[in-house]
């Protein structure tokens, strides 16, 4: 693989950096993982996916026929030996770690699984890179969450050096994963020598076509549409940094490109959030989707009870704009329109793989 000191088009995904590149992607069967798997395939990367099965039914991974374009490993991220074998056998140049227990509500029910998956899963990946991947891995991108920050409802966007924490087990486990990443970075993946470099990336409230996760607004809307009933809304006034899934995924790839190009400063923490104007209340999103959907759609308050949720959550992405040249290419209006178009295409029998790849193409051309 040839080296690229200056990736073309500062801040953009550069196809030449990915053609023939060996990539290990954990969590490749999930919503974000399936989108990224398709994008990497379109870029010409050699993708190995590692996941403990398909997490939802239906799933984007199955509908878009993602698996034939990659090498699939079905194993649990909590299995240290399986993770080590995957890194050893795939010999990746880039590791993108997405595998997680991603549900806040589920974390209240099963905190042990949440911590074991999100914290020790991260330890397993980084330790495998340290022990058997040091000769091949150049860049590791660990995906955490905007919820990794210690949210004390300050009413301002989080910046990268804000303290990590989290009220609920999910958020706290992601804060722990950030601390694990920082410890490995300082202990094993720093200095002037050639070797792996590790970045952590934080994004939240990622939306797009093909998401059927539990307790998420857009999937709840699509399930309500299918059932012909109103959408249950838990917290209509909560403000979140909504963004299309391709926005942060592009940032993850740009971070890896910077590390591959020899920029060790990129091996740090990064926020990838939308423009501040796109941080909207839940009710605003529900109202806009109601307007865009061609058939009757309404929402109603879900009386609960509900576990604790932060009221205000937003990210400051100044560092990514200035340090990477990254920006969100699709604003919230276009994001919601693309989601409706995707689900209408699914309803009308479109080729889901072609539909999804076309949205990736349109995004890349934006």
């Amino acid at each position: 693989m040839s080296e690229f000191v200056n990736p073309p088009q500062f801040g953009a995904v550069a196809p030449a950096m990915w053609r023939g590149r060996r990539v290990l992607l954990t969590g490749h069967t999930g919503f974000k993982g399936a989108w990224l798997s398709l994008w990497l395939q379109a870029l010409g990367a050699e993708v190995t996916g590692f996941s403990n099965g398909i997490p939802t039914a239906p799933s984007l991974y199955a509908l878009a026929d993602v698996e034939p374009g990659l090498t699939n490993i079905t194993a649990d991220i909590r299995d240290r030996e399986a993770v080590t074998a995957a890194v050893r056998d795939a010999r990746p140049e880039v590791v993108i770690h997405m595998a997680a227990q991603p549900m806040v509500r589920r974390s209240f029910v099963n905190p042990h699984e949440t911590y074991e998956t999100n914290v020790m899963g991260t330890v397993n990946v980084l330790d495998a890179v340290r022990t058997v991947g040091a000769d091949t891995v150049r860049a590791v991108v660990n995906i955490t969450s905007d919820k990794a920050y210690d949210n004390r409802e300050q009413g301002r966007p989080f910046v990268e050096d804000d303290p990590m924490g989290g009220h609920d087990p999910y958020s706290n486990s992601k804060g722990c994963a950030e601390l694990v990443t920082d410890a490995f970075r300082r202990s094993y993946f720093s200095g002037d020598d050639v070797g792996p470099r590790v970045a952590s990336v934080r994004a939240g409230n990622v939306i797009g076509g093909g998401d059927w996760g539990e307790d998420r607004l857009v999937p709840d809307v699509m399930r309500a549409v299918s059932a012909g009933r109103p959408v249950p809304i838990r917290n209509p006034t909560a403000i979140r940094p909504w963004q299309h899934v391709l926005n942060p995924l592009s940032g993850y790839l740009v971070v890896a490109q910077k590390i591959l190009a020899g920029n060790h400063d990129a091996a740090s923490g990064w926020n990838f959030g939308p423009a501040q104007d796109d941080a909207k209340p839940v009710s605003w999103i529900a109202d806009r989707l109601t307007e865009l959907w061609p058939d009757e759609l309404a929402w109603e308050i879900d009386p609960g009870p509900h576990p604790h949720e932060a009221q205000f959550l937003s990210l400051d992405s100044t560092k990514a704009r200035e340090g990477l040249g990254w920006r969100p290419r699709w604003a919230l209006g276009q994001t919601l329109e693309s989601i409706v178009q995707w689900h209408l295409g699914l309803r009308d029998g479109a080729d889901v793989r072609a539909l999804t790849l076309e949205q990736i193409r349109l995004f890349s051309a934006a």
Side-chain angles (χ1 to χ4, degrees):
M1 175 66 64
S2 60
E3 302 301 327
F4 298 84
V5 176
N6 295 302
Q9 198 173 349
F10 182 56
V13 175
M17 295 283 294
W18 296 99
R19 194 171 301 117
R21 185 79 67 177
R22 298 187 305 277
V23 179
L24 174 63
L25 173 60
T26 73
H28 68 294
T29 58
F31 164 59
K32 289 173 71 175
W35 274 95
L36 185 54
S37 294
L38 281 177
W39 198 350
L40 287 168
Q41 290 174 30
L43 292 168
E46 299 177 8
V47 182
T48 297
F50 183 104
S51 180
N52 188 22
I54 301 174
T56 64
S59 75
L60 175 61
Y61 184 78
L63 288 170
D65 201 23
V66 176
E67 189 162 314
L70 52 76
T71 299
N72 179 65
I73 298 174
T74 301
D76 196 316
I77 201 68
R78 295 172 291 181
D79 185 338
R80 178 184 179 184
E81 292 183 1
V83 174
T84 301
V87 172
R88 182 184 61 241
D89 297 344
R91 304 188 71 253
E93 297 161 273
V94 178
V95 176
I96 302 176
H97 176 43
M98 248 180 216
Q101 193 297 94
M103 303 300 180
V104 173
R105 281 194 167 197
R106 190 185 302 175
S107 77
F108 280 101
V109 175
N110 197 336
H112 185 275
E113 175 201 22
T114 301
Y115 281 101
E116 194 174 30
T117 301
N118 296 349
V119 182
M120 291 311 299
T122 300
V123 171
N124 289 342
V125 170
L126 295 178
D127 204 41
V129 170
R130 177 184 72 88
T131 56
V132 301
D135 292 337
T136 61
V137 176
R138 298 279 308 283
V140 180
V141 181
N142 180 33
I143 287 80
T144 62
S145 171
D146 57 352
K147 295 179 179 65
Y149 290 107
D150 184 11
N151 191 344
R152 301 186 180 182
E153 301 287 2
Q154 301 100 320
R156 64 163 177 82
F158 289 107
V159 295
E160 282 83 356
D161 59 358
D162 279 332
M164 296 294 152
H167 178 281
D168 57 90
Y170 167 76
S171 303
N172 190 271
S173 72
K174 285 298 190 177
C176 292
E178 284 282 356
L179 296 177
V180 166
T181 304
D182 185 62
F184 269 79
R185 181 189 297 120
R186 292 202 249 179
S187 298
Y188 307 113
F189 305 129
S190 62
D192 297 328
D193 56 319
V194 175
R197 291 293 184 272
V198 181
S200 60
V201 293
R202 304 142 196 172
N205 288 86
V206 173
I207 55 179
D211 185 7
W212 281 277
E214 61 189 65
D215 295 325
R216 292 178 181 167
L217 179 59
V218 172
D220 286 347
V221 169
M222 293 304 132
R223 280 188 283 265
V225 165
S226 298
R229 55 176 171 75
V231 184
I233 301 294
R234 296 190 304 275
N235 193 353
T237 61
I239 296 173
R240 297 290 184 266
W242 311 96
Q243 59 180 327
H244 195 276
V245 61
L246 293 174
N247 279 334
L249 292 183
S250 70
Y252 305 167
L253 295 177
V254 169
V255 167
Q257 288 174 185
K258 292 284 281 188
I259 296 174
L260 290 169
N263 187 326
H264 292 174
D265 289 339
S268 60
W270 299 91
N271 287 342
F272 293 104
Q276 292 306 310
D277 289 346
D278 284 348
K280 299 288 188 184
V282 169
S283 61
W284 190 97
I285 302 295
D287 286 340
R288 184 59 183 144
L289 287 172
T290 298
E291 294 169 0
L292 290 170
W293 193 257
D295 302 326
E296 184 176 352
L297 177 63
W299 62 272
E300 62 185 14
I301 299 293
D302 181 351
H306 304 299
H308 172 271
E309 290 185 87
Q311 189 65 21
F312 179 87
L313 187 55
S314 183
L315 294 176
D316 185 328
S317 302
T318 301
K319 179 183 175 183
R321 289 198 306 272
E322 296 179 353
L324 300 172
W326 175 88
R327 61 180 176 82
R329 289 178 176 247
W330 279 0
L332 184 56
Q334 187 169 7
T335 292
L336 296 177
E337 290 172 6
S338 75
I339 291 170
V340 170
Q341 291 165 3
W342 193 97
H343 280 278
L344 287 174
L346 174 66
R347 183 194 69 177
D348 296 339
D351 181 321
V352 174
R353 183 181 178 92
L355 173 65
T356 309
L357 286 170
E358 175 61 10
Q359 291 202 345
I360 292 171
R361 186 194 69 79
L362 291 172
F363 178 89
S364 299

